[in-house]
């Protein structure tokens, strides 16, 4: 049977960056095709982040005649294949249990201001994987499903939650730091990509609403009937259950690390137990000082263990557990000594899964996975050079004075989106000052996220 060898896509991981994709307050999906193409052309992924295979993955790809193909917005892996009757089979298939790992590193810290990224502490990072088999709106996601609003939970500014896990109708983003509350009320949460339709409400031309899973735009000012109706332009069906969120943040640990006993300064004996997520003990060791002196640190050696989720528990000599434990973390591949900004894991899933690389006959499925970084929202603050109390503005427009004792600081009443084409805020002080869009540099204050702009008056 005739065949030929050629390189074909084994997999692709698309990185979507809404700061560049969206046009002001208009989501990418609602734009005409020509504008979508223009927005796509505005950025190169490599300007902001780099994606590199671990040394183990690079060697595995080379052995199996796979190569990384440069791309502006995705990680693209090609495999050498043979073609048979229009289908493609890898020339050297990956082992059934093979797992590929790629580290994501920031090339520009501006990315943290442009994208709605959860706060990442020391030893933490983002973990993206097809092991979760997260499918939504016919797309395969490497991010985990977004969390459902929890009345008992506290939230940070920018946190994303859904109103329902199975059939979400609304995506919420926390405006500020929030304590537990019964419901995600409008005063505390942004409703994305638009608020729900309200019967009897007055709308302005261009206002957007959600109704029965569809996004609509008002054609004129006034009160409008329930859409669909001629008063509304039907735009698109938003994808709600996708995007990087706090659910993707994990603790990372290298193969060898230490645990401080500073919170147990008198302990002379401790036992460290490392358990796999299956609850099987993977490693255990007891520590003591033969001279009777208190232990300072414990050296944890997970060399030889496969990258995966583990839990570390430290028991002290008196039977108590070391504060901060049990600690759950993802054990990094052996070649990584420090936590990356993010780690991408692609497992060679079993045939039959939409996340599998090949089908049951060994032919390429060439799945495309998605990682979507939603745009950041921030309060837009304007700092006027010169005390405006000497010349009080006759009209503050869309701003309010932030502090009655400080006449130079004005801020928006709501967090607004940061994109490459922000919508105009209009004028300030009876049209004498046009308010510019803020630069995408944000300050995370105690309870909210702010973007500042200085203006000379």
């Amino acid at each position: 049977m005739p065949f030929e060898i050629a390189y074909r896509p084994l997999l692709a991981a698309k990185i979507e960056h809404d700061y560049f994709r969206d046009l002001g307050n208009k989501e990418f999906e609602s734009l005409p095709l020509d504008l979508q193409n223009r927005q796509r052309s505005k950025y190169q992924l490599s300007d902001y982040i780099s994606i590199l295979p671990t040394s183990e993955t690079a060697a595995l790809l080379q052995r199996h005649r796979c190569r990384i193909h440069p791309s502006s917005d995705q990680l693209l892996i090609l495999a050498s294949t043979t073609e048979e009757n229009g289908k493609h089979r890898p020339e050297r298939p990956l082992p059934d249990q093979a797992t590929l790992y790629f580290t994501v590193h920031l090339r520009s810290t501006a990315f943290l201001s442009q994208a709605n990224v959860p706060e990442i502490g020391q030893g933490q990072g983002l973990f993206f994987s097809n092991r979760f088999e997260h499918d939504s709106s016919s797309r395969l996601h490497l991010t985990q499903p977004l969390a459902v609003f929890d009345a008992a939970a506290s939230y940070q500014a920018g946190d994303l939650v859904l109103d329902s896990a199975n059939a979400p109708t609304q995506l919420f983003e926390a405006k500020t730091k929030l304590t537990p509350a019964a419901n995600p009320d409008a005063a505390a949460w942004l409703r994305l990509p638009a608020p729900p339709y309200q019967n009897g409400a007055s709308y302005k031309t261009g206002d957007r609403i959600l109704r029965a899973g569809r996004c609509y735009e008002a054609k004129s000012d006034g009160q409008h009937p329930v859409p669909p109706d001629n008063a509304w332009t039907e735009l698109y069906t938003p994808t709600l259950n996708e995007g990087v969120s706090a659910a993707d943040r994990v603790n990372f640990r290298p193969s060898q690390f230490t645990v401080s006993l500073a919170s147990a300064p008198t302990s002379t004996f401790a036992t460290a137990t490392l358990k796999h997520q299956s609850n099987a003990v993977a490693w255990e060791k007891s520590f003591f000082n033969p001279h009777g002196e208190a232990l300072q640190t414990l050296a944890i050696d997970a060399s030889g263990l496969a990258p995966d989720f583990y839990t570390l528990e430290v028991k002290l000599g008196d039977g108590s557990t070391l504060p901060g434990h049990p600690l759950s973390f993802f054990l990094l591949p052996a070649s990584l000594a420090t936590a990356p900004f993010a780690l991408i894991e692609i497992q060679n899933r079993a045939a039959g899964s939409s996340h599998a690389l090949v089908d049951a006959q060994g032919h390429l499925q060439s799945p495309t996975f998605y990682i979507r970084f939603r745009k950041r929202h921030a309060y837009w603050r304007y700092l006027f050079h010169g005390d405006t109390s000497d010349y009080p503005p006759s009209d503050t427009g869309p701003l309010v004075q932030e502090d009655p004792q400080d006449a130079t600081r004005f801020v928006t009443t709501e967090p607004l989106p940061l994109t490459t084409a922000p919508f105009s805020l209009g004028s300030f002080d009876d049209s004498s000052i046009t308010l510019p869009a803020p630069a995408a540099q944000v300050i995370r204050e105690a309870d909210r996220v702010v973007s500042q702009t200085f203006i000379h008056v």
Side-chain angles (χ1 to χ4, degrees):
M1 186 177 296
F3 68 91
E4 62 177 83
I5 295 177
Y7 278 89
R8 300 285 179 176
L10 175 68
L11 67 96
K14 278 188 169 291
I15 314 295
E16 297 182 332
H17 193 354
D18 284 1
Y19 174 80
F20 289 98
R21 298 196 324 142
D22 291 0
L23 191 62
N25 61 342
K26 297 180 179 179
E27 286 205 326
F28 176 82
E29 292 80 2
S30 71
L31 302 177
L33 185 59
D34 61 329
L35 279 182
Q36 288 187 2
N37 292 331
R38 189 177 75 179
Q39 292 303 103
R40 280 197 189 99
S41 68
K42 284 186 176 181
Y43 79 103
Q44 290 280 334
L45 187 66
S46 58
D47 292 338
Y48 296 89
I49 62 175
S50 61
I51 303 177
L52 301 171
T54 63
S55 59
E56 299 94 335
T57 291
L60 179 64
L61 292 175
Q62 185 177 31
R63 288 196 302 271
H64 292 269
R65 296 181 61 83
C66 299
R67 61 177 62 164
I68 300 176
H69 186 74
S71 176
S72 63
D73 65 347
Q74 65 181 342
L75 169 67
L76 179 60
I77 309 297
L78 304 179
S80 175
T81 64
T82 58
E83 181 178 352
E84 301 174 355
N85 300 322
K87 294 186 177 182
H88 300 89
R89 182 189 305 275
E91 184 185 2
R92 296 183 184 176
L94 293 173
D96 290 343
Q97 304 302 319
T99 303
L100 307 176
Y101 290 101
F102 303 87
T103 56
V104 182
H105 303 275
L106 294 180
R107 301 184 68 137
S108 171
T109 55
F111 185 84
L112 297 176
S113 294
Q114 298 164 352
N116 185 4
V117 179
E119 282 192 278
I120 298 175
Q122 185 174 5
Q124 293 183 327
L126 301 173
F127 181 72
F128 307 127
S129 177
N130 66 335
R131 68 164 62 198
F132 307 119
E133 299 208 345
H134 174 205
D135 298 3
S136 177
S137 300
S138 302
R139 305 213 306 175
L140 311 178
H141 301 285
L142 296 179
T143 50
Q144 293 209 52
L146 298 179
V148 176
F149 175 79
D150 183 353
S154 297
Y155 295 99
Q156 300 293 322
D159 280 353
L160 300 170
V161 297
L162 298 170
D163 60 345
S164 168
N166 297 325
T169 61
Q170 190 73 67
L171 172 63
F172 299 96
E173 180 179 329
K175 298 179 183 179
T176 62
K177 184 177 181 180
L178 300 173
T179 55
N183 297 292
D185 65 276
W189 295 84
L190 294 172
R191 292 167 292 179
L192 303 177
Y197 169 80
Q198 288 187 327
N199 192 25
S202 293
Y203 293 97
K204 295 181 179 180
T205 303
D207 281 353
R208 295 188 170 193
I209 57 93
L210 283 182
R211 172 71 179 178
R214 300 286 291 169
C215 185
Y216 297 86
E217 185 174 87
K219 295 180 179 179
S220 61
D221 296 353
Q223 294 184 1
H224 300 315
V226 177
D229 183 85
N230 287 335
W232 299 94
T233 299
E234 185 174 341
L235 297 176
Y236 70 111
T237 300
T239 302
L240 301 179
N241 192 9
E242 67 176 24
V244 175
S245 71
D248 303 303
R249 179 179 55 207
V250 302
N251 295 308
F252 284 133
R253 291 295 184 271
S255 296
Q256 296 179 329
F257 61 97
T258 60
V259 175
S260 172
L261 266 65
S263 58
T266 61
S267 183
T268 60
F269 181 86
T271 298
T273 303
L274 197 59
K275 291 184 178 181
H276 184 257
Q277 63 176 357
S278 64
N279 209 36
V281 174
W283 179 87
E284 188 172 58
K285 184 177 179 179
S286 294
F287 299 81
F288 68 96
N289 191 321
H291 303 294
E293 298 176 357
L295 296 170
Q296 302 295 316
T297 59
L298 307 181
I300 309 301
D301 187 356
S303 301
L305 297 182
D308 211 335
F309 285 98
Y310 295 86
T311 299
L312 176 66
E313 184 174 56
V314 176
K315 287 285 189 180
L316 304 176
D318 61 3
S320 63
T321 300
L322 182 69
H325 290 74
L327 172 69
S328 296
F329 63 89
F330 187 86
L331 182 65
L332 293 168
S335 60
L336 300 182
T338 58
F341 168 69
L343 185 70
I344 297 175
E345 176 190 73
I346 305 293
Q347 295 183 343
N348 193 12
R349 306 291 290 174
S353 165
S354 58
H355 289 253
L357 305 183
V358 296
D359 63 19
Q361 288 71 45
H363 298 129
L364 289 180
Q365 287 197 162
S366 303
T368 296
F369 304 106
Y370 290 87
I371 300 173
R372 180 180 178 181
F373 288 92
R374 291 183 176 270
K375 60 180 175 285
R376 184 177 290 284
H377 291 79
Y379 286 89
W380 294 9
R381 175 187 288 151
Y382 293 88
L383 302 176
F384 293 91
H385 183 68
D387 192 350
T388 53
S389 62
D390 295 337
Y391 305 96
S394 58
D395 179 13
T396 61
L399 306 180
V400 294
Q401 188 169 329
E402 192 170 6
D403 182 350
Q405 306 304 316
D406 187 348
T408 66
R409 296 160 59 98
F410 290 80
V411 69
T412 57
T413 57
E414 293 276 307
L416 299 177
L418 298 177
T419 72
T420 55
F423 53 85
S424 173
L425 274 186
S427 61
F428 177 81
D429 195 10
D430 198 22
S431 302
S432 64
I433 299 173
T434 299
L435 297 170
Q441 295 294 328
V442 300
I443 302 170
R444 185 175 283 276
E445 298 182 337
D447 62 344
R448 63 180 181 174
V449 176
V450 176
S451 182
Q452 294 188 154
T453 300
F454 292 85
I455 295 181
H456 292 271
V457 294

